[in-house]
Structures are given as structure tokens and as C-alpha cells.
Amino acid sequence: MTYHRVLLKLSGEALMGDLGYGIDPKVVADIAQEISDVVQLGTQLAIVVGGGNIFRGVKAAAAGMDRATADYVGMIATVMNAMTLQDALERNNIPTRVLTAIAMQEVAEPYIRRRAIRHLEKGRVVIFGAGSGNPFFTTDTTAALRAAEIDAEVVFKATKVDGVYDSDPHVNPSARRYRSLNYGHVLTHDLRVMDGTAIALCKENNIPIVVFDLSVRGNILRAIKGEPVGTIVGGFCEVS
């Protein structure tokens, strides 16, 4: 195994599949099965999950809602996703803990860095909910922050596309996919791999980011083994 401790970033949209809103139980079950295959090989896995399938704070703020309030509602949505994923994993006999940045002691543990690391060392999957606990920060930034805090070797950004392109492949059929990128190129060209704060955090802490298509069965395992899946941010610029 190339990577021993990994931070997996899942978007909320990944959990809704083809639905227009909410959570698709089959998609969650498929993700849980793939994660269980990885964990059984000895990988320590932490997950940050978004909440865009239930509530997106930026859109609510644009519609006139107070931005801080909208972001807090979005944080609660991530906890709903985290609990759903926890249930699916534990049905696959994978011990899982949800740690939240906002106190919800009846349903989850509070986020404590040393506790999170101890759970990982004991072979438990750790799901970080409620973002960073602060408004105005995305779950992408949370993923980079938590990865640095738990000494993760890599951030996996599981999306609906098979990597990072030089332009939108849905608009430009001639768009080229990068095999690898450096952090500066991502920031300079605003490639929207993750938000700028997340990229800067990963750059400062020398944490590579691997962007790949979650819908392809086995991609998480292939990425952990170091196989060329998607695009890696943190190397040289290379176009496929």
C-alpha cells in the first residue's frame, strides 16, 4: 500500500446519485462497501463529507439569508450525511466514529485531534462532520485542515469527473485532462480543484491532492495503491 493514512473528501452531491435532492441509499451502500474493502487492507481512513445535497449555504446567502446562519445550517446538513454514512459502514462491520466541530453529544463525539488520531490507530473510520465549526469556510478547507491535523499523507477528492481539466469538458470537447499539477498552477489558473484556502493549506503542509471519479468502482483502492487514477496536485504540470 502506498498510503497508510488517508483523508477522503466526499461531496454531498456524491451521496444523492441521480436524485435531485437528498440521499440515495444505494449510492451510500456502494460507497460504504468500497470503503470497507480499503479499510480491511489496513488503511487508516478519515472522511470529510459535504452537505450540498441537503443545503448549500452560499446559495442560501445569495437568496438573502444571513451568510453565517446559512453556513451553520449547511454544517448541520453535513452531520446528517456523516451519520448516514456511519450507519452504512457499520452495516459492513466497519467500526466508525463521527466527530463534529459543533457539539452534538447525543449523536456524535466532539472533535478532539488526539481522539481522532487514536480512533484511526485502532482501525476505526473517522468521519468529520459540521465542517470546521466556523462560517465562511468550505468543507474543502476543512478537508485540508483535518488532513494536516491528523498527519494524513494525502487528500483524496472524490468527485463526478475523472480528474482536472484545463477547461470545462462539458463545454469544450477538446479540453485536456492533467495527469499532475503543481499547487501554483491550480491557484494561478483558478482550476477550482478545491478552494484557494484548501490548496494553500495543502501546499504549506506538503500534502498532495488526488482528484478522481468516485462512480468508477475500485477507484479509491487504486488511488490508495498509488495507481495513476485521475489527477494528482502537488507534482509537475503534465497533460494527458
Side-chain angles (χ1 to χ4, degrees), residues 4-6 39 42-46 95 97 113-126 149-151:
H4 178 63
R5 182 176 292 171
V6 173
V39 172
T43 303
Q44 295 180 10
L45 183 67
R97 298 291 185 272
R113 175 179 173 270
R114 289 182 179 271
R115 179 181 290 180
I117 292 173
R118 187 60 177 153
H119 283 320
L120 292 170
E121 292 172 342
K122 285 181 172 289
R124 299 164 183 153
V125 173
V126 175
E149 288 180 307
I150 66 171
D151 298 319

Side-chain angles (χ1 to χ4, degrees), residues 161-238:
V161 294
D162 61 348
V164 181
Y165 288 78
D166 58 0
S167 60
D168 189 343
H170 297 104
V171 177
N172 178 16
S174 300
R176 298 181 300 170
R177 182 170 65 86
Y178 290 99
R179 287 197 183 98
S180 65
L181 282 166
N182 60 48
Y183 304 106
H185 190 87
V186 173
L187 293 170
T188 302
H189 293 81
D190 192 24
L191 294 179
R192 302 181 183 276
V193 176
M194 301 173 86
D195 65 74
T197 305
I199 297 295
L201 270 170
C202 287
K203 179 181 179 181
E204 183 176 343
N205 292 280
N206 197 29
I207 302 172
I209 305 163
V210 180
V211 183
F212 60 87
D213 187 351
L214 180 65
S215 66
V216 177
R217 176 70 178 169
N219 261 359
I220 297 177
L221 182 59
R222 282 189 283 271
I224 284 176
K225 288 182 176 180
E227 296 180 16
V229 177
T231 302
I232 183 167
V233 178
F236 298 99
C237 289
E238 182 183 3

Side-chain angles (χ1 to χ4, degrees), residues 78-140:
T78 71
V79 178
M80 296 168 66
N81 285 336
M83 292 175 64
T84 301
L85 187 57
Q86 178 188 37
D87 177 77
L89 284 168
E90 293 193 333
R91 279 189 275 117
N92 281 277
N93 299 314
I94 301 298
T96 307
R97 298 291 185 272
V98 174
L99 276 62
T100 62
I102 298 174
M104 300 183 184
Q105 61 268 24
E106 286 80 11
V107 296
E109 299 178 16
Y111 171 70
I112 299 172
R113 175 179 173 270
R114 289 182 179 271
R115 179 181 290 180
I117 292 173
R118 187 60 177 153
H119 283 320
L120 292 170
E121 292 172 342
K122 285 181 172 289
R124 299 164 183 153
V125 173
V126 175
I127 307 175
F128 298 116
S132 65
N134 300 292
F136 306 103
F137 291 93
T138 67
T139 50
D140 279 349

